């Protein structure tokens, strides 16, 4: 028996977590964190956790599942305090087990330290080797990071973070807390987003600005690449910088990972996707009766394509939004059912028509092949695929759950061969130049490695992804 959601997860790219932190005496920090995590659910759906400190004790609730299934009124009421950190998880390093659920909590003699991490530490094995006799209870890179901080020089957590952080290689957007202080820090490449907001005069930190808006906070700025921040009863302090900032923000956040209503580096993600569709329309025009999206991630781009190409936008595929993670079907039908259960084409909308289908990306190609088959069975005359990112040829080592290189369809097939495999009449990808232009960012500030193979740092420690398992 196989979990369908797991199969679909394998066919798309997924982010490795959403994080949130709040320091707000007098507020119900656990409930605020719950709502923030709910709006960051797209960044991780395997497990969720919240840790809350009242200044004396740190309590936590962590479990496998979605935010709405892990927390309820009753258990949230037990989390009283003025500091909270929260986490939604997808596993890239370490499996989806109870022990790997975050926030990770390290209890020392007279203190406690809790960490929630979005990203991936590429030199985790090397750091783990240096920990020697430390008994780790999980297989996650985040626990190694937390223990490396614990073992670092200094009596205070802030000194330990300052000493330990330069040894971390990879992507880390982190919120952490001790009993009395909230911390936030981000790798010098600023690969994953991390934003700061203000709520009723208090500070909150979130992976994406959509979480700030959900809880009624006002976005103030991002945690800068390499910045270490401490928030306590005396206010907001920048403790310093980790190494030399060298911004390489993940280009794929704009394509797929972030929510369309989030602002990344001053750009609304919906508008970036909209522009990417418009640019693709100029790069790869086609005569068609209808432009449609693969919902929901392709919708902003499809609207941009439709407007620029002057082809009417129409809904063609209806997405079932209520597929639970425990939905189970017999194994032999799994791939077929996985796509059919997720998308249902509307025959009356498509029969006899020439249709442009716009999507954000193609990973393995299996989902798109099924969609094309389903549409053809509905009597579509022509199917023209337009993909609003370049071909994904390389795995990500910075916190996105990519398959191995051999499983990426574009790693060994050119566009013509991919078109043939999928069965579309035409297929075009957005150029890298076009995507960068749509993002509104200078090329030098972006990580483009899954499209180009040019990683912003040495990833050799992580070339065997299983090395740390
Ligand atoms: S490799 Fe791709 S998904 Fe990973 S950080 Fe770079 S651009 Fe983002």
């Amino acid at each position: 028996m196989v979990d369908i959601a797991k199969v679909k997860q394998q066919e798309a790219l997924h982010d490795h977590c959403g994080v949130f932190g709040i320091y707000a005496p007098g507020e119900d920090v656990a409930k605020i964190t719950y709502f923030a995590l709910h709006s960051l659910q797209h960044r991780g759906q395997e497990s969720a956790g919240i840790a809350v400190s009242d200044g004396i004790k740190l309590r936590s609730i962590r479990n496998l599942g979605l935010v709405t299934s892990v927390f309820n009124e009753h258990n949230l009421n037990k989390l009283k305090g003025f500091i909270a950190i929260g986490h939604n998880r997808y596993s890239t390093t370490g499996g989806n087990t109870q022990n790997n659920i975050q926030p990770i909590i390290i209890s020392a003699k007279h203190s406690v330290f809790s960490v929630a991490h979005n990203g991936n530490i590429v030199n985790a094995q090397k750091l783990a080797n240096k920990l020697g006799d430390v008994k780790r209870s999980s297989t996650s890179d985040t626990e190694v990071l937390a223990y490396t901080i614990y073992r670092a020089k200094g009596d205070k957590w802030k000194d330990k973070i300052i000493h330990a952080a330069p040894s971390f290689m990879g992507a880390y957007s982190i919120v952490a807390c001790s009993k009395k202080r909230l911390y936030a820090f981000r790798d010098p490449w600023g690969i994953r987003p991390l934003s700061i907001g203000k709520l009723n005069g208090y500070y909150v930190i979130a992976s994406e600005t959509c979480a700030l808006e959900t809880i009624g906070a006002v976005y103030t700025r991002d945690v800068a690449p390499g910045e270490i921040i401490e928030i306590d009863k005396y206010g907001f302090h920048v403790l310093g910088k980790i190494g030399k900032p060298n911004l390489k923000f993940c280009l794929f956040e704009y394509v797929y990972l972030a929510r369309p209503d989030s602002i990344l580096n001053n750009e609304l993600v919906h508008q970036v996707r909209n522009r990417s569709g418009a640019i693709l329309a100029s790069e790869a025009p086609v005569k068609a009766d209808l432009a449609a999206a693969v919902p929901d991630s392709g919708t902003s781009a499809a609207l941009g394509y439709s407007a620029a190409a002057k082809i009417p936008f129409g809904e063609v595929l209806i997405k079932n939004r209520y597929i639970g993670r425990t939905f189970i079907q017999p194994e032999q039908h799994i791939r077929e059912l996985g796509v059919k259960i997720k998308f249902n084409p509307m025959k009356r909308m498509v029969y006899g028509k020439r249709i442009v289908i716009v999507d954000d990306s193609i990973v393995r190609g299996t989902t798109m092949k099924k969609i094309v088959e389903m549409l053809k069975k509905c009597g579509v005359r022509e199917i023209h695929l337009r993909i609003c990112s370049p071909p994904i040829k390389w795995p990500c080592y910075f916190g996105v759950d990519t398959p191995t290189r051999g499983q990426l369809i574009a790693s060994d097939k050119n566009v013509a061969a991919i078109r043939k495999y999928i069965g579309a009449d035409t297929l075009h990808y957005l150029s890298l130049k076009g995507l960068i232009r749509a993002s509104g960012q200078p090329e030098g500030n972006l990580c483009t490695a899954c499209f180009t193979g040019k990683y912003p740092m040495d990833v050799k420690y992580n070339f065997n992804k299983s090395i740390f398992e």
Side-chain angles (χ1 to χ4, degrees), residues 191-192 250-252 257 395-398 400 447-450 455:
I191 293 172
R192 300 274 148 242
C250 170
L251 183 55
F252 204 68
L257 300 176
C396 176
Y397 298 103
F398 308 122
V400 176
C447 173
T448 60
C450 48
Y455 294 95

Side-chain angles (χ1 to χ4, degrees), residues 14 67 84-85 104 136 139 181 185 192 277 314 324 356 365 404 464:
H14 291 280
V67 172
I85 65 172
I104 294 277
R136 289 184 283 118
T139 53
R181 291 173 179 83
F185 52 104
R192 300 274 148 242
V356 187
T404 58
N464 175 3

Side-chain angles (χ1 to χ4, degrees), residues 267-285:
E267 294 287 348
L268 180 67
V269 173
H270 166 75
Q271 288 179 318
V272 171
R273 291 180 188 164
N274 211 262
R275 283 199 295 268
S276 71
I279 294 169
L280 184 53
S282 67
E283 289 183 357

